[in-house]
Amino acid sequence: MKLNKRESRLAIIALIAVLIGLTYWIGEPRYEAWKQMNEEVDFLLHRQAAAQRLLDQTDDLNERLARLREQLPQHPRDADVTSQLLRNLQQFADEHGLLLLRREPEPERQIGDLYELAITATWEGELSSLVHFLYALQAQGAIVDVRQLTITPVQGTPNRLRGTLTVDYAYSRSAPAA
């Protein structure tokens, strides 16, 4: 069977169209997979760069951690720290004119070789007393953190406030004395 020129051109065009369709049908999922793989590679390269930046900061962070550990108060392993911290909190409140109505310590938590004790207190006072009290607590550095603070006005007295606060204390313990 002999094809004339026009039929051979149409056959070539049809063959090219079929080849393009097959290429698209077979190649499109592979192209999407390739594109997704490139996105994952970019994401992983960014994560690797971020991890490398953190690794480069390790020495600086270890130095800062060592300085913070030096600032932490150290108590004997068998000492009652709760009563001392309750007195400390009451002393700060008295110095700044804040009335502590109730103080409730939570159980001591050990986190690695560090210890943490939280005290929840109900307080009453004026705004300036509260601000000075909170500033004095925060001036102690990394050993004290105010985790939660609630404030409500006292009815009948416009300048008085009442609320609760939770103070976290961090410290370390030494071996018991021989």
Side-chain angles (χ1 to χ4, degrees):
M1 173 167 127
K2 188 148 178 148
L3 297 175
N4 65 19
K5 226 177 188 185
R6 182 172 182 245
E7 290 173 340
S8 62
R9 280 190 208 142
L10 285 174
I12 290 174
I13 291 173
L15 182 64
I16 290 173
V18 168
L19 286 175
I20 289 174
L22 281 174
T23 302
Y24 179 77
W25 182 62
I26 294 171
E28 195 265 336
R30 291 184 181 182
Y31 173 74
E32 290 298 324
W34 176 75
K35 199 163 80 171
Q36 184 179 5
M37 188 174 60
N38 278 343
E39 289 173 1
E40 286 182 30
V41 166
D42 288 343
F43 173 73
L44 291 174
L45 286 174
H46 287 298
R47 278 190 68 186
Q48 182 183 18
Q52 187 60 45
R53 282 192 303 273
L54 288 175
L55 286 174
D56 291 343
Q57 295 176 358
T58 302
D59 293 335
D60 182 44
L61 292 174
N62 284 336
E63 289 174 15
R64 288 177 51 198
L65 179 62
R67 285 194 305 266
L68 283 174
R69 283 184 187 261
E70 289 172 3
Q71 292 176 359
L72 283 177
Q74 192 169 21
H75 301 284
R77 192 164 296 280
D78 56 350
D80 181 24
V81 178
T82 305
S83 61
Q84 183 179 355
L85 294 178
L86 285 169
R87 281 193 306 271
N88 186 21
L89 186 66
Q90 184 65 48
Q91 178 185 356
F92 277 111
D94 292 343
E95 287 176 5
H96 299 290
L98 198 68
L99 178 62
L100 294 182
L101 303 173
R102 188 176 73 227
R103 297 168 294 156
E104 296 175 7
E106 295 176 7
E108 179 181 69
R109 293 186 306 261
Q110 183 176 0
I111 305 167
D113 59 345
L114 299 178
Y115 291 83
E116 186 176 277
L117 180 77
I119 299 174
T120 302
T122 304
W123 58 271
E124 186 174 320
E126 294 183 359
L127 179 60
S128 62
S129 299
L130 176 64
V131 169
H132 289 96
F133 171 75
L134 291 174
Y135 181 78
L137 283 179
Q138 290 300 313
Q140 293 182 20
I143 63 171
V144 178
D145 184 36
V146 177
R147 180 178 4 138
Q148 182 179 6
L149 174 67
T150 62
I151 302 173
T152 56
V154 175
Q155 290 185 356
T157 53
N159 293 334
R160 298 287 288 177
L161 301 171
R162 177 181 290 155
T164 59
L165 63 95
T166 302
V167 181
D168 286 331
Y169 288 92
Y171 53 92
S172 62
R173 292 216 184 242
S174 62

